[in-house]
Amino acid sequence: MKLLLYCDLPPNKKNAQTIIDHISSFEKYSQFEIQTVSSRLGLPYDLNLSSFDVIVVHYSITLLTTSFYLESYIPLKDQRKLRKYTGLKVMFIQDEYRRVNHICDRINYLKIDVLFSCAPIEIARKIYKRLSPNTKILETLTGYAPDITDAPPLKPHKSRKIDVFYRARKLPLWLGTLGLDKYQIAEKFLINYPRRLHVDISTFEEDRIYGEDWLQRLCNSRTTLGTESGASFIDFSGDIERDIAIFKSYNPEATFDDLPKHLTSLDKKLCIQVISPRIFEAIACRTTLVLFPGDYSGILIKDRHYLELKKDFSNFDYLLEILNDKTAIETIATTAYKEIIEPGQYSYKAFIKHFDSMIKNELAKK
């Protein structure tokens, strides 16, 4: 069977490795014959869609037309082609908190058969309530554990030079308080940490690290900070993003706490809170996780797979005592590796095995 993967494969040096790993996993592990079309200019003019049994629209291209996404927007001419295609149509989607109603309308227009959402299934059903009942919603993760079997042997913690490593950026206020966590955990840590620790923490864009450089830095660190991924605003109409952007344009120094109450009243009413691929990358590098409280998709167990740092830093002194115990820190990293990475259930190979099984079942119904 032939499968077309329509995506935007980014340059290795300029994007998070997880996007590249996710796209590459289809050709690497799928039982199907995969043809990958990576294009920001749309599908090739002479590509015969009817020659494929399945078309997969990857999350690296989008149905949104905002300026931020315009480079990876699916052209209308290709949307018309996809609508006419009668085979199995599958879509992976991320950034599910923006202009949800518009996205639902476009998915309905395309007649997508299966939608892979990163939101927990009970949340996804609320987000995509406008979808046709003919579209099946399935849950997936934002990314999976990287394969670093070909990498050099991992250093023991006593040989690692960095005590605490982390990178983040300041996200827009319309992501809600959950979006602020990624930035605030870094800022608060930098204010409070004792200078005897060797930290490599930054929220500046020019300090961001990608690809193999990211994994190498993780592998040279004893611990790394982290938070859940997602947003605590689900913006169905686009009004939340628009109204907050307007407020910020007149109040450029405003923080989330400065926003008028009518703009923040929907915060945490409906959330996407999931485990990030960065978590799996850290565990694969046997780097101990120091995380804000969260569910982490039900995968991680506090004090077994990670150390919890309260959002108000009320347990920071206690955490510092644990960080001084290199044996205890390494034990947590080793346990997480053995229980999360070694069994393979969160690998890209397992992800594609599940994907292939789903495709076979859905094709049988066609």
Side-chain angles (χ1 to χ4, degrees):
M1 288 183 285
K2 292 182 65 178
L3 184 151
L4 173 66
L5 178 61
Y6 182 21
C7 65
D8 177 19
L9 183 64
N12 190 39
K13 294 294 183 181
K14 295 183 179 180
N15 291 81
Q17 185 67 34
T18 184
I19 302 174
I20 298 167
D21 290 343
H22 198 278
I23 292 172
S24 301
S25 67
F26 289 88
E27 288 191 15
K28 190 172 184 180
Y29 298 116
S30 179
Q31 299 174 1
F32 303 125
E33 180 184 344
I34 306 293
Q35 180 173 335
T36 301
V37 173
S38 174
S39 173
R40 291 186 171 184
L41 301 175
L43 294 166
Y45 178 77
D46 58 350
L47 183 65
N48 181 12
L49 297 186
S50 63
S51 66
F52 297 94
D53 300 287
V54 185
I55 293 178
V56 175
V57 180
H58 192 260
Y59 68 77
S60 55
I61 52 177
T62 181
L63 295 168
L64 286 176
T65 56
T66 60
S67 59
F68 181 79
Y69 290 100
L70 197 55
E71 287 186 340
S72 53
Y73 173 65
I74 302 173
L76 286 175
K77 64 180 180 64
D78 290 331
Q79 292 188 39
R80 289 191 285 268
K81 290 180 182 178
L82 290 169
R83 176 181 170 84
K84 292 178 181 178
Y85 171 76
T86 58
L88 185 67
K89 287 177 276 194
V90 179
M91 176 174 283
F92 285 84
I93 191 166
Q94 292 196 12
D95 294 352
E96 300 174 67
Y97 38 79
R98 303 187 76 180
R99 295 179 61 196
V100 174
N101 290 343
H102 171 77
I103 291 295
C104 287
D105 291 343
R106 300 320 298 170
I107 291 173
N108 287 336
Y109 174 81
L110 295 177
K111 299 180 180 180
I112 296 295
D113 297 293
V114 180
L115 179 71
F116 277 96
S117 167
C118 298
I121 194 65
E122 67 276 7
I123 301 297
R125 291 193 180 109
K126 294 178 181 178
I127 294 173
Y128 298 109
K129 59 189 177 183
R130 286 174 61 129
L131 285 186
S132 162
N134 296 323
T135 299
K136 176 183 285 189
I137 303 173
L138 297 177
E139 186 177 347
T140 189
L141 297 178
T142 56
Y144 294 83
D147 182 3
I148 60 171
T149 53
D150 295 333
L154 295 174
K155 296 179 182 178
H157 275 216
K158 64 182 180 181
S159 300
R160 300 187 181 195
K161 296 181 179 180
I162 303 168
D163 291 310
V164 187
F165 169 65
Y166 187 62
R167 288 292 186 275
R169 57 163 62 101
K170 201 168 188 176
L171 297 174
L173 297 183
W174 44 261
L175 287 174
T177 49
L178 183 62
L180 302 180
D181 286 348
K182 294 178 182 294
Y183 173 79
Q184 291 180 344
I185 193 173
E187 292 299 293
K188 289 181 179 180
F189 201 99
L190 287 172
I191 291 171
N192 289 282
Y193 84 97
R195 296 311 184 256
R196 57 181 167 77
L197 289 179
H198 180 196
V199 306
D200 183 359
I201 298 173
S202 177
T203 57
F204 294 108
E205 191 67 29
E206 59 267 26
D207 293 332
R208 292 187 65 81
I209 305 170
Y210 299 100
E212 292 301 318
D213 292 341
W214 172 265
L215 291 177
Q216 289 176 12
R217 196 71 61 93
L218 267 179
C219 289
N220 197 33
S221 304
R222 293 171 54 226
T223 69
T224 186
L225 306 178
T227 69
E228 286 185 303
S229 182
S232 50
F233 277 135
I234 304 299
D235 193 352
F236 286 92
S237 63
D239 290 352
I240 295 174
E241 179 179 346
R242 181 200 62 203
D243 292 347
I244 291 179
I246 292 172
F247 182 85
K248 281 284 287 182
S249 70
Y250 286 96
N251 305 274
E253 300 301 319
T255 67
F256 191 86
D257 292 335
D258 298 322
L259 295 176
K261 190 171 183 179
H262 75 275
L263 293 180
T264 62
S265 59
L266 294 176
D267 187 52
K268 296 185 178 178
K269 297 293 185 182
L270 189 62
C271 299
I272 300 175
Q273 295 175 264
V274 294
I275 194 168
S276 162
R278 294 299 195 203
I279 302 296
F280 291 121
E281 291 167 355
I283 298 174
C285 294
R286 301 194 196 190
T287 301
T288 303
L289 294 160
V290 178
L291 307 178
F292 270 176
D295 179 66
Y296 295 95
S297 301
I299 294 171
L300 304 184
I301 300 173
K302 183 180 70 171
D303 296 329
R304 184 170 184 85
H305 301 138
Y306 70 97
L307 295 170
E308 183 179 87
L309 174 59
K310 301 293 185 184
K311 290 188 180 182
D312 62 2
F313 274 55
S314 58
N315 68 332
F316 189 62
D317 290 340
Y318 170 71
L319 184 68
L320 290 177
E321 292 180 15
I322 301 176
L323 292 180
N324 286 329
D325 188 340
K326 294 184 180 180
T327 300
I329 289 296
E330 190 160 18
T331 297
I332 291 175
T334 301
T335 300
Y337 182 87
K338 288 183 176 180
E339 297 181 358
I340 304 297
I341 302 299
E342 276 191 355
Q345 72 266 44
Y346 301 113
S347 66
Y348 279 100
K349 185 176 182 179
F351 155 63
I352 292 297
K353 182 178 180 180
H354 171 74
F355 170 81
D356 281 359
S357 176
M358 181 280 300
I359 291 294
K360 290 176 182 177
N361 290 337
E362 293 302 315
L363 283 173
K365 299 175 186 177
K366 274 281 188 181

